[in-house]
Amino acid sequence: MATTKKPFLTKPTQSDSATRAAARNTDSGPSKVVPADDPATTKAVQAGQLAEGMPFNPNKAGEHGFDNGLAVAAGATVEPASRLPTGSTLSEENHSEKTGSVAAEGINWAIEPLDRVRVDSSGQVLTTNQGVPIADNQNSLKYGVRGPALLEDFILREKITHFDHERIPERIVHARGSGAHGYFECYDALTDITKAAPFQEAGKVTPVFVRFSTVQGERGSKDTARDVRGFAVKFYTDEGNWDLVGNNMPVFFIQDAMKFPDLVHAVKPEPHHQMPQAASAHDTFWDFVSLMPESTHMLMWAMSDRGIPRSYATMQGFGVHTFRMVNAEGDSVFVKFHWNPVYGTHSLVWDEAVKISGADPDYHRRDLWERIEAGAFPEWELGLQIFTEEQAEGFSFDVLDPTKIVPEELVPVRPVGRMVLNRNPDNFFAETEQVAFCAAHIVPGLDFSNDPLLAGRIHSYVDTQISRLGGPNFHEIPINSPLAPVHNNQRDGMHRQAIHRGRVSYEPNSLGGGCPFQAGAAQGFVSVPARIQAKEEQGKVRAKPEKFADHYTQATLFFESQSPIEQAHIAAAFRFELSKVTVPAIRERMVSSLRNASEALAAQVAEGLGMSPLPPPMPRALDNPAQPEVSHSPALSLLARPGDGSIKGRKVAMLVADGVNGQSAVDVHAMLFAQGAVPRFVAPRIGPVKTADGVAIDADASLENEPGFLFDALVLPDGDEGVRTLSLDGHTMEFIKDQYRHCKAILVLPASATLLEAAGASATLPSGEADPGVVQGGDVETFIAAVARHRHPERETDPPRV
């Protein structure tokens, strides 16, 4: 189909073409980007504007000191001129039914409501996982009706393979569970004690998913075993997910997470015969707890009727640990969570529980499902015990001890809201089995105490889910994804669902306009600056000591302690690396930072990048750093450790070809080898070399399989005919140039002076003095001394002469 070209508004000039071409490169760029009527160039210009808008990190100074740690500022951002510079690709404008359109601004569709993943197959044909309609779901593909099944039957293989992998590892504890959806409704605003989202106004409703479980039994065990019951609530708040992961008893068996593996190993079926299932009435459990007197309180609860509840709807729930609530001013109080069932607390008697387990092992699961289906929705009232750190210090027990309760007579339970479960899951596996709770999932307005058992739980749950659910992206499984927007720089990993737009996956940045940026203390989660003891001046905080703000003093020390050639290499390295940067503003920002370390270095780098004038020095995070004790340290230079002066292990290339003088080559080889070097005969081809004097030489390397830059030194041969042969091979010139340019020692036997000259190398330095690394005339001892120096940097020029 013919198309009509749109004429240029103006005829492009040579500079226009150069500008447009430069914008299409991804590994280098000009010193300045010239605007042009072209998407790639416009993107480059606007990326530069984003970078220019952040000449330094204005938050850096605020990262130091305790007070700053309590008042963290929001991250710096720059508004882009358009969406071009923050995108991954210019081709995002090309749409299809699969790719859809450009990513919606500021939206992460991967965490939208579960409607996006619900499936209803009513009226639909059967397909493969790739959407291919299946004609026959009754028979495998065979060669003839009585022939063998064929490997090419991708429909059979897909179906069987998926079936083979339909199970995932069960939870180590709490494997037997049941769940339901519902909501939490706040009675009154609790803004005086917390800024946590569910408690900000009377009548506020927060969606929840709740999972009840036994602890000991495997996934197929009975519901009515005597056991602790898990009571885990996932709040889908508008500031992220909060998991209140508790039990139906307010205390626990142990005081420190270090003992949790021991407890679970003791209560689980005994490893030699895997009995008893879902029961604690056996030797190993009682052996353990009888040696752990701190378990006594929990044993009272577990052996009471609470260990065999009538139903999930008629048991209490507790957060177990002491948590903190934090208000907008940063003031915190201690809190303990209580779920009190509206239908009362009721239990089974032991004989009843035993008989029910035989007739209906799914008794509790069935009860929860049927109540919700019938509209008799389970309901609990959330109550809080609220007390101060000063109050806690006056108690006869320690509130950080998870084997202790705070009696309601000391601190009454304050009702703050109600939770109703009103929807059964659509799919048990996708929701109840895949839901992942974690004690570390809290939102602004909540925080932890120093309970040592809680500290272990904060780590353990996430670690477990990574194994169970196939990798670090279990939070993207629909039942686990929050309602609150998710924007961070986490990428990749197994089963990643989100497709992130743009080139930026780090913070701070300027190429994404600073986004996503840290929320700051006003909006983001801030840990309470809890102290170990109330009398201490400082406590837990996200901040750095003030001296950490001195970012340049030791950088200056390092640079000033280098030899001139090492300093030149540092400048060249910065020049090369920054020349690969396509956004000039980033180069300028880096040079402005280097000015605080060394004006000389910054000037060299700027000159090498065509940058004039120098950008102003970057503002320092610490205006007046302490006077350093040391301003020059020779030990920081590589030259401070020249070694023992030997050439042991050095690889020396000895070029040979038919017609060389064999005896001189063999003699040099022997002398080098005697000093511990590794000399190698390198010829145009490996194998025997026909020397002019008949001395046997067998080349074990060739000019093409062992290039010159692999060697520490070079020996050029004697013998006119051999030298002439080498001069006709382009590899020889490259070999010599690399050795010379890299400042290696070169021994030039008499006939090879022409090779040195042909390669453009010189026996004299730019200063006119003799090059100590180019040894002429066959003085092997002088050459060995030259090799021992490793390199002869006085030969080096920038740019190189050869």
Side-chain angles (χ1 to χ4, degrees):
M1 174 175 156
T3 59
T4 304
K5 284 188 176 180
K6 293 183 179 179
F8 287 107
L9 297 178
T10 58
K11 187 176 181 180
T13 64
Q14 180 62 38
S15 61
D16 289 331
S17 300
T19 297
R20 294 175 187 223
R24 284 156 174 74
N25 294 315
T26 59
D27 68 342
S28 184
S31 60
K32 296 289 181 185
V33 179
V34 180
D37 184 18
D38 175 74
T41 308
T42 301
K43 180 175 182 175
V45 169
Q46 293 181 2
Q49 291 169 345
L50 278 180
E52 288 169 355
M54 202 177 295
F56 62 94
N57 183 353
N59 284 40
K60 186 55 66 174
E63 294 176 4
H64 307 81
F66 189 79
D67 291 340
N68 283 335
L70 300 181
V72 181
T77 62
V78 180
E79 185 72 22
S82 74
R83 299 194 71 200
L84 273 177
T86 59
S88 308
T89 168
L90 290 173
S91 66
E92 69 180 358
E93 297 293 338
N94 300 327
H95 304 162
S96 74
E97 291 183 2
K98 178 62 178 175
T99 63
S101 58
V102 179
E105 191 163 3
I107 299 296
N108 182 342
W109 288 110
I111 53 87
E112 291 302 293
L114 297 182
D115 288 344
R116 67 188 170 87
V117 291
R118 288 199 172 95
V119 178
D120 183 357
S121 297
S122 302
Q124 304 301 307
V125 300
L126 194 67
T127 73
T128 69
N129 286 333
Q130 308 304 316
V132 178
I134 296 173
D136 185 342
N137 190 48
Q138 316 309 318
N139 302 288
S140 56
L141 184 65
K142 300 181 289 292
Y143 189 76
V145 293
R146 300 184 67 250
L150 299 180
L151 185 61
E152 72 181 67
D153 189 351
F154 64 93
I155 296 173
L156 171 68
R157 285 191 291 113
E158 178 191 271
K159 186 175 181 180
I160 293 295
T161 299
H162 191 280
F163 173 76
D164 290 343
H165 297 273
E166 279 184 357
R167 295 295 176 267
I168 64 173
E170 67 175 32
R171 292 166 172 85
I172 297 173
V173 287
H174 298 276
R176 172 74 178 181
S178 303
H181 292 274
Y183 63 88
F184 172 78
E185 181 181 6
C186 183
Y187 290 159
D188 297 296
L190 302 182
T191 51
D192 57 325
I193 60 170
T194 182
K195 62 179 181 179
F199 307 109
Q200 292 309 287
E201 58 187 68
K204 182 169 184 179
V205 172
T206 301
V208 299
F209 185 83
V210 180
R211 186 177 185 271
F212 305 102
S213 56
T214 53
V215 174
Q216 305 171 50
E218 295 172 0
R219 191 159 54 189
S221 59
K222 61 189 179 184
D223 277 351
T224 56
R226 178 181 294 281
D227 198 357
V228 183
R229 298 306 191 280
F231 194 124
V233 182
K234 185 180 291 290
F235 293 80
Y236 300 97
T237 87
D238 45 23
E239 290 199 342
N241 284 357
W242 167 32
D243 292 351
L244 181 53
V245 194
N247 289 330
N248 72 327
M249 300 178 191
V251 290
F252 203 59
F253 294 95
I254 53 175
Q255 296 173 315
D256 194 297
M258 184 68 78
K259 301 306 298 174
F260 192 70
D262 298 297
L263 168 66
V264 174
H265 287 169
V267 77
K268 282 284 191 176
E270 298 190 12
H272 61 309
H273 55 33
Q274 275 298 291
M275 293 185 289
Q277 175 60 234
S280 56
H282 58 99
D283 290 357
T284 57
F285 173 72
W286 290 98
D287 177 45
F288 176 75
V289 295
S290 65
L291 295 171
M292 299 285 288
E294 62 266 44
S295 299
T296 307
H297 188 191
M298 181 61 176
L299 289 171
M300 294 294 184
W301 285 78
M303 295 301 109
S304 77
D305 289 345
R306 290 175 183 267
I308 41 176
R310 162 63 180 81
S311 68
Y312 293 136
T314 59
M315 69 181 190
Q316 284 180 286
F318 302 91
V320 180
H321 307 285
T322 299
F323 290 88
R324 289 181 182 268
M325 280 188 159
V326 192
N327 65 18
E329 288 71 43
D331 302 319
S332 77
V333 292
F334 282 139
V335 63
K336 279 186 170 286
F337 296 101
H338 295 245
W339 292 108
N340 292 311
V342 169
Y343 294 119
T345 51
H346 304 288
S347 295
L348 302 172
V349 296
W350 178 241
D351 183 65
E352 186 181 21
V354 171
K355 291 173 178 175
I356 289 173
S357 68
D360 187 1
D362 302 308
Y363 187 69
H364 288 155
R365 177 175 291 179
R366 191 182 315 281
D367 179 86
L368 178 66
W369 181 275
E370 291 179 349
R371 283 174 186 262
I372 294 174
E373 291 295 292
F377 303 140
E379 183 175 338
W380 290 261
E381 189 170 64
L382 178 62
L384 306 180
Q385 284 182 297
I386 304 165
F387 50 98
T388 66
E389 190 169 348
E390 289 69 29
Q391 283 179 279
E393 289 178 352
F395 295 156
S396 62
F397 51 90
D398 195 325
V399 299
L400 302 184
D401 182 350
T403 69
K404 307 292 193 300
I405 63 168
V406 177
E408 295 183 33
E409 292 75 15
L410 279 179
V411 181
V413 177
R414 173 183 171 182
V416 297
R418 70 187 187 115
M419 180 174 70
V420 178
L421 300 185
N422 62 359
R423 176 168 178 167
N424 281 315
D426 285 303
N427 183 274
F428 182 90
F429 177 84
E431 296 168 80
T432 305
E433 191 62 27
Q434 288 197 127
V435 68
F437 294 93
C438 179
H441 293 165
I442 56 175
V443 296
L446 300 169
D447 203 358
F448 310 111
S449 70
N450 291 335
D451 181 330
L453 178 58
L454 177 58
R457 294 181 71 203
I458 290 170
H459 163 75
S460 180
Y461 284 68
V462 170
D463 196 40
T464 298
Q465 303 302 351
I466 289 173
S467 293
R468 283 196 68 243
L469 299 174
N473 293 312
F474 64 84
H475 60 279
E476 291 190 338
I477 294 173
I479 190 64
N480 295 319
S481 64
L483 294 178
V486 172
H487 297 288
N488 56 43
N489 294 310
Q490 297 173 21
R491 296 291 186 271
D492 308 338
M494 294 177 68
H495 312 307
R496 189 65 166 170
Q497 303 297 305
I499 300 175
H500 293 274
R501 177 181 181 271
R503 67 195 293 191
V504 168
S505 56
Y506 54 90
E507 187 279 331
N509 70 74
S510 64
L511 293 177
C515 301
F517 57 95
Q518 66 181 32
Q523 298 184 62
F525 177 85
V526 177
S527 294
V528 173
R531 297 161 290 179
I532 304 302
Q533 296 180 7
K535 64 184 179 181
E536 292 183 354
E537 178 184 351
Q538 295 187 353
K540 188 168 53 179
V541 69
R542 295 184 192 273
K544 303 180 182 73
E546 284 81 354
K547 287 185 178 180
F548 279 40
D550 181 3
H551 301 137
Y552 296 108
T553 296
Q554 293 211 347
T556 301
L557 171 64
F558 181 83
F559 185 74
E560 296 298 333
S561 300
Q562 305 301 297
S563 67
I565 192 64
E566 289 172 309
Q567 291 181 343
H569 288 173
I570 292 172
F574 273 110
R575 181 185 69 208
F576 171 80
E577 295 279 336
L578 293 177
S579 74
K580 289 286 190 178
V581 173
T582 62
V583 181
I586 296 177
R587 299 182 198 145
E588 293 172 8
R589 187 192 307 146
M590 193 62 239
V591 171
S592 77
S593 180
L594 290 178
R595 290 192 66 178
N596 291 326
S598 170
E599 285 285 357
L601 173 60
Q604 289 181 65
V605 174
E607 181 182 6
L609 296 173
M611 189 184 298
S612 180
L614 282 176
M618 182 178 288
R620 294 173 181 258
L622 185 64
D623 292 328
N624 298 301
Q627 188 68 25
E629 298 86 349
V630 178
S631 60
H632 185 83
S633 174
L636 295 177
S637 169
L638 284 174
L639 302 184
R641 296 168 180 81
D644 61 3
S646 74
I647 63 170
K648 292 179 181 178
R650 302 288 173 86
K651 294 182 67 176
V652 182
M654 300 187 62
L655 300 195
V656 292
D658 290 348
V660 300
N661 186 318
Q663 190 61 53
S664 62
V666 168
D667 289 345
V668 172
H669 188 286
M671 294 177 69
L672 293 172
F673 186 75
Q675 295 295 317
V678 185
R680 301 190 68 182
F681 288 121
V682 183
R685 296 289 183 270
I686 60 173
V689 176
K690 297 178 182 178
T691 63
D693 52 3
V695 175
I697 290 178
D698 195 345
D700 62 340
S702 72
L703 291 170
E704 65 179 5
N705 76 6
E706 292 286 331
F709 46 76
L710 296 177
F711 293 91
D712 296 298
L714 171 64
V715 176
L716 297 177
D718 200 8
D720 293 335
E721 184 180 345
V723 167
R724 197 161 36 249
T725 301
L726 288 170
S727 69
L728 299 175
D729 191 327
H731 291 109
T732 302
M733 296 302 114
E734 294 173 9
F735 213 104
I736 297 171
K737 287 178 181 179
D738 283 337
Q739 285 280 311
Y740 185 83
R741 182 182 293 180
H742 300 162
C743 302
K744 306 290 182 63
I746 302 175
L747 176 63
V748 185
L749 297 180
S752 285
T754 57
L755 286 179
L756 195 69
E757 182 180 353
S762 173
T764 59
L765 298 172
S767 64
E769 299 176 12
D771 187 331
V774 179
V775 180
Q776 295 182 298
D779 186 347
V780 181
E781 290 186 358
T782 301
F783 174 65
I784 288 172
V787 174
R789 283 188 56 191
H790 183 62
R791 228 177 273 280
H792 295 268
E794 58 268 40
R795 182 190 306 163
E796 189 170 278
T797 59
D798 190 6
R801 293 191 300 170
V802 174

